[in-house]
Amino acid sequence: MAATDDLKKTFTLIQQERQADLEQYQQKILQKSITQKKKDGVCWYPVKLEKTYIGTGERLIIEVQRTNNFEQRHSFQSGKAVSLFSNATNTPQKDHVGGVINYVRDNNMVITLNVDELPDWIEDGALGVDVMFDEISYREMEFALKTVIKAEEGRIVALRNILLGYQRAKFSNEEPKHDGHDASSKSPLAEKNTLNPSQLKALEKVLHAQDVGIIHGPPGTGKTTTLVEGIIRTVAAEKQVLVCAPSNAAIDLLVEKLSDRGLNVLRIGHPARVTEQSLSKTLDARIANHEYYKDLRGMRRKMEELRTLAFKYKRKFGHEERAQRKLLLNEAKALKADADVLEFYITNNLIEKSDVIACTLVGSSHYVLRGKKFNSVFIDEAAQSLEPACWIPLLKAQRVIFAGDHQQLPPTIKSYEAAKAGLAETLMEKCIRHQPETASMLQTQYRMHEAIMRFSSDYFYDGALIADERVKNHLLKEDDAPILFIDTAGCGYDEVQDPETLSRFNKEEAVLLIRNVENLIHEFGEERWLEEKISLGIITPYSAQVEYITKLAEDSATLVNLKQLVTINTVDAFQGQERDVIAISLVRSNDKGEVGFLGDIRRTNVALTRARKKLMVIGDSATLGSHPFYLQWLEYIQANDFYKSAFELMN
């Protein structure tokens, strides 16, 4: 087989994924009434237009407020594409306009619209907001794959063969030379001495890789620190790099870290999808602060005035008026051309001056980067990145550095068949599988007590992880066990499936978890907990269980008092995060020994490695023990005396 055959298969799988995603979207949105969509949480209706204003980059922003169904859960969140519609005419072809959510709080939603002025129908009322299907991402992924498949020459041909294992990756013996370019307010070598031996080894891999290098960062090992150091050193040698990640949250974190180290970072992307801290680094914000922006704004304003004046002429007018209108429109057109040239100059000026161009994988297809090439492209969270999305920035690369951990969460895939057929395997994983020498694993972890780390290290990382001296014996309180597993076997705490969402929950297990968390807080002392700002995360793999635990927490006087220190969410939402104390509800409890969703043990690896000082897990050993991974984990728990039966705690 050739690399192109592999890519053709991937192309088929991403088309399959697009179809599955579209079908799910259609089931949720297109084929349902407004009442049903509201119930499913994919529509807000009716909404009231609260205010409109011009935001960053002269973009039109509106704020809407829903006027009923306040308690209903919904799937609206920052960065999602939405459609604002009016149901006033009550016809199937509703008036609508696209936009992107800036943020959602309580019953208010702020949306950046994809138009320059408010549509007339907005005054008709009966407004609503629908979640939209993300067509653009698929289009860009498919275009990139087609380009890579068709390529017959150029660097992409070599990268295609190397990354898919048909050609060996090369490493140079020398580090790239520092060309005197001041990439950072600190010396590029300033932090080299603060890195541990495995981080230094990974940094060397980054600096010597001619084609591909991989920073493999297990939980708490300082992957981001090492990656940032690699970027700084590369910028010192190459003047500019492209840095990407699959999500806006991941790229914004890097933007913050790189900016803190003194690098000039330009964030490419829709301002509505960017965190507040990164907003000032966006292209829109930088254009607005450019020395020539006043001239650009003046041109645009004059152009609009001329257009407005031209269209004041009615349809029934004479030759002179027609000539006058033509003159005004030509003048506006000429001004627009001048404004476009000036904006092009400002944009290129900002790009040239930047040390780092940062964007999502799909965002790297942005028109301002068209035709641009980079010697090095860095991809963070590469183990969560779909392969087709990685090829988008790789079209601009001479070499690539991946960073991530393929033993943690994989990419989110809607089509079970496509995932099983190979779409779930990332480009980073393929590279490690074919050429393990391209990867360097970080080994010292700075997050958790040694006992919390040990099982994960032995099972996923060949026992190679070492707990740093500062955390290895770190406990919540003296003589406390770092781990507690509460076994509900024999209690009759059976799981239940939500008929609508198909998510699972376990009410009795949730109650037991909250009770034991409260006991832990009382033993430690509520005042001391607040004083020392002990952070608590409550994690479960199922969204229905998150919902039920959240309700219980709201009814708990103890947890309400500590509200600002408590986070309740799914495992997926916790990747990359950590807390002093983590409590996990595993939910599954049935006679058949079915673990379902828990069968993806990488997800469980994420859950088990979030705690710094105390890990509490509640589950049914009779159900869990049917899976070899959980059986091994239960043996570890028993051997270290971290086990308690729920019956003991009841008494």
Side-chain angles (χ1 to χ4, degrees):
M1 270 182 85
T4 49
D5 294 324
D6 289 355
L7 288 164
K8 282 172 187 170
K9 183 188 173 188
T10 304
F11 186 83
T12 305
L13 295 178
I14 199 67
Q15 285 185 312
Q16 207 173 324
E17 170 67 1
R18 179 210 276 252
Q19 194 53 39
D21 200 357
L22 182 60
E23 280 168 15
Q24 284 183 30
Y25 168 76
Q26 286 171 336
Q27 282 167 9
K28 277 182 178 176
I29 307 274
L30 301 182
Q31 296 161 4
K32 291 188 176 176
S33 65
I34 286 180
T35 309
Q36 189 57 50
K37 286 192 290 184
K38 279 161 63 179
K39 205 175 171 191
D40 292 347
V42 291
C43 176
W44 275 18
Y45 182 86
V47 296
K48 188 171 68 172
L49 185 65
E50 287 290 296
K51 54 181 168 183
T52 66
Y53 52 96
I54 301 296
T56 310
E58 303 276 295
R59 292 176 187 254
L60 182 61
I61 294 175
I62 63 164
E63 188 173 326
V64 297
Q65 185 180 64
R66 59 175 170 173
T67 52
N68 61 17
N69 297 92
F70 303 137
E71 297 307 313
Q72 272 187 352
R73 64 173 188 267
H74 59 79
S75 55
F76 290 94
Q77 58 190 30
S78 305
K80 275 208 170 180
V82 291
S83 170
L84 175 77
F85 66 85
S86 169
N87 200 35
T89 55
N90 207 16
T91 59
Q93 289 299 107
K94 295 180 182 66
D95 292 314
H96 61 91
V97 63
V100 175
I101 300 175
N102 290 43
Y103 66 81
V104 184
R105 280 182 203 150
D106 300 325
N107 298 307
N108 285 48
M109 193 189 296
V110 174
I111 304 166
T112 300
L113 294 181
N114 300 335
V115 287
D116 295 329
E117 51 189 64
L118 284 173
D120 298 337
W121 50 259
I122 212 156
E123 302 296 332
D124 301 342
L127 300 175
V129 185
D130 275 339
V131 171
M132 288 291 284
F133 178 65
D134 183 15
E135 181 71 36
I136 294 165
S137 296
Y138 287 107
R139 203 164 59 226
E140 294 299 343
M141 286 191 278
E142 288 176 13
F143 176 78
L145 276 175
K146 278 180 187 169
T147 308
V148 180
I149 290 165
K150 284 178 187 170
E152 290 176 6
E153 57 183 20
R155 182 61 180 153
I156 196 65
V157 175
L159 280 179
R160 176 179 77 192
N161 292 331
I162 292 161
L163 295 175
L164 295 171
Y166 292 89
Q167 198 175 315
R168 303 312 294 170
K170 294 193 289 291
F171 293 87
S172 69
N173 296 321
E174 293 177 22
E175 283 187 17
K177 291 192 170 52
H178 182 345
D179 68 351
H181 173 66
D182 185 18
S184 165
S185 54
K186 299 179 182 183
S187 155
L189 301 169
E191 301 241 338
K192 188 177 178 180
N193 296 332
T194 68
L195 299 181
N196 66 47
S198 67
Q199 289 174 327
L200 283 170
K201 197 177 163 194
L203 181 60
E204 277 175 30
K205 186 78 73 180
V206 169
L207 300 175
H208 292 123
Q210 291 188 327
D211 308 300
V212 56
I214 299 171
I215 301 170
H216 178 198
T221 53
K223 178 206 64 167
T224 304
T225 302
T226 313
L227 179 62
V228 164
E229 207 55 48
I231 292 168
I232 287 171
R233 294 283 300 275
T234 306
V235 168
E238 297 175 7
K239 297 190 178 179
Q240 191 179 72
V241 298
L242 177 65
V243 178
C244 301
S247 68
N248 286 290
I251 200 66
D252 284 337
L253 175 68
L254 269 178
V255 167
E256 205 178 316
K257 300 274 185 194
L258 292 165
S259 300
D260 287 347
R261 289 291 303 278
L263 291 183
N264 178 3
V265 185
L266 182 65
R267 172 71 161 95
I268 305 290
H270 199 299
R273 292 191 168 103
V274 174
T275 61
E276 233 165 278
Q277 294 92 316
S278 298
L279 204 55
S280 62
K281 317 282 188 309
T282 59
L283 182 61
D284 288 43
R286 287 278 172 86
I287 288 172
N289 287 321
H290 196 275
E291 56 180 322
Y292 292 140
Y293 180 65
K294 274 185 184 172
D295 299 338
L296 178 65
R297 200 172 180 183
M299 284 179 183
R300 290 256 156 90
R301 195 171 284 144
K302 179 71 178 157
M303 180 185 83
E304 284 307 316
E305 283 170 9
L306 290 167
R307 281 172 61 84
T308 306
L309 201 60
F311 286 110
K312 273 185 178 171
Y313 289 100
K314 304 296 174 197
R315 281 180 189 175
K316 292 177 183 175
F317 50 65
H319 175 73
E320 273 179 42
E321 286 90 345
R322 194 176 284 113
Q324 185 63 22
R325 186 172 82 158
K326 195 177 178 184
L327 201 67
L328 288 166
L329 286 173
N330 283 340
E331 209 177 319
K333 199 176 174 183
L335 264 175
K336 185 187 182 303
D338 289 346
D340 289 347
V341 168
L342 183 56
E343 187 173 351
F344 181 76
Y345 167 77
I346 293 170
T347 302
N348 280 311
N349 182 247
L350 290 167
I351 288 172
E352 275 170 34
K353 284 181 180 174
S354 302
D355 300 319
V356 175
I357 308 291
C359 54
T360 61
L361 295 166
V362 174
S364 65
S365 65
H366 196 284
Y367 72 92
V368 298
L369 298 178
R370 210 161 283 154
K372 193 140 178 56
K373 297 285 181 190
F374 298 87
N375 192 58
S376 297
V377 169
F378 289 80
I379 298 179
D380 193 16
E381 299 297 359
Q384 275 192 282
S385 307
L386 282 170
E387 181 189 334
C390 287
W391 288 111
I392 304 171
L394 285 175
L395 289 169
K396 303 176 186 301
Q398 283 296 309
R399 67 172 197 140
V400 60
I401 304 298
F402 293 119
D405 179 15
H406 52 294
Q407 301 296 0
Q408 291 187 65
L409 284 174
T412 303
I413 297 174
K414 303 278 171 67
S415 165
Y416 174 74
E417 290 76 18
K420 209 175 167 188
L423 192 60
E425 189 179 24
T426 62
L427 202 49
M428 175 178 145
E429 278 180 275
K430 287 181 181 180
C431 213
I432 290 176
R433 179 160 58 83
H434 294 302
Q435 307 193 56
E437 70 279 6
T438 58
S440 192
M441 191 176 91
L442 308 179
Q443 292 175 304
T444 306
Q445 71 82 18
Y446 300 91
R447 176 181 298 162
M448 58 203 123
H449 187 285
E450 191 171 26
I452 299 173
M453 171 204 82
R454 180 55 44 214
F455 178 77
S456 179
S457 173
D458 290 346
Y459 196 94
F460 293 101
Y461 309 105
D462 297 323
L465 297 190
I466 305 152
D468 182 71
E469 287 299 322
R470 286 162 289 183
V471 301
K472 71 183 290 186
N473 299 312
H474 216 169
L475 291 166
L476 189 61
K477 55 188 172 72
E478 222 177 317
D479 302 324
D480 185 33
I483 303 175
L484 170 64
F485 174 64
I486 301 171
D487 188 3
T488 64
C491 291
Y493 292 178
D494 292 340
E495 66 190 69
V496 177
Q497 189 170 30
D498 183 317
E500 278 185 27
T501 63
L502 303 181
S503 183
R504 290 170 194 269
F505 59 97
N506 190 322
K507 289 186 177 183
E508 291 95 338
E509 187 175 288
V511 170
L512 184 64
L513 178 135
I514 292 292
R515 192 164 69 237
N516 279 281
V517 165
E518 287 172 337
N519 290 344
L520 183 70
I521 293 164
H522 296 150
E523 281 169 28
F524 188 82
E526 208 173 302
E527 276 183 37
R528 193 177 148 206
W529 194 288
L530 273 166
E531 224 171 87
E532 294 183 22
K533 294 188 168 64
I534 305 292
S535 56
L536 165 68
I538 298 176
I539 306 182
T540 176
Y542 294 94
S543 53
Q545 186 78 337
V546 168
E547 212 171 297
Y548 192 71
I549 290 172
T550 304
K551 281 177 189 162
L552 293 177
E554 285 165 0
D555 293 335
S556 161
T558 305
L559 291 175
V560 165
N561 287 344
L562 306 174
K563 198 176 179 182
Q564 71 274 29
L565 297 167
V566 181
T567 316
I568 304 167
N569 220 323
T570 58
V571 181
D572 297 45
F574 264 93
Q575 171 129 345
Q577 297 189 46
E578 56 188 72
R579 298 291 186 274
D580 294 314
V581 179
I582 289 286
I584 304 171
S585 165
L586 292 173
V587 179
R588 299 310 293 250
S589 179
N590 54 70
D591 297 334
K592 294 174 185 170
E594 288 176 352
V595 295
F597 198 41
L598 298 185
D600 186 347
I601 57 174
R602 291 177 293 181
R603 183 171 271 104
T604 307
N605 184 32
V606 172
L608 296 176
T609 53
R610 300 303 100 197
R612 296 188 195 110
K613 304 172 186 176
K614 177 84 176 180
L615 173 67
M616 183 194 291
V617 183
I618 300 185
D620 178 354
S621 65
T623 300
L624 297 170
S626 64
H627 191 288
F629 169 80
Y630 294 99
L631 187 61
Q632 218 167 306
W633 188 72
L634 289 164
E635 284 166 7
Y636 174 74
I637 292 299
Q638 294 271 16
N640 290 280
D641 203 22
F642 298 145
Y643 177 93
K644 273 194 181 160
S645 164
F647 291 111
E648 285 177 64
L649 297 168
M650 285 174 196
N651 300 332

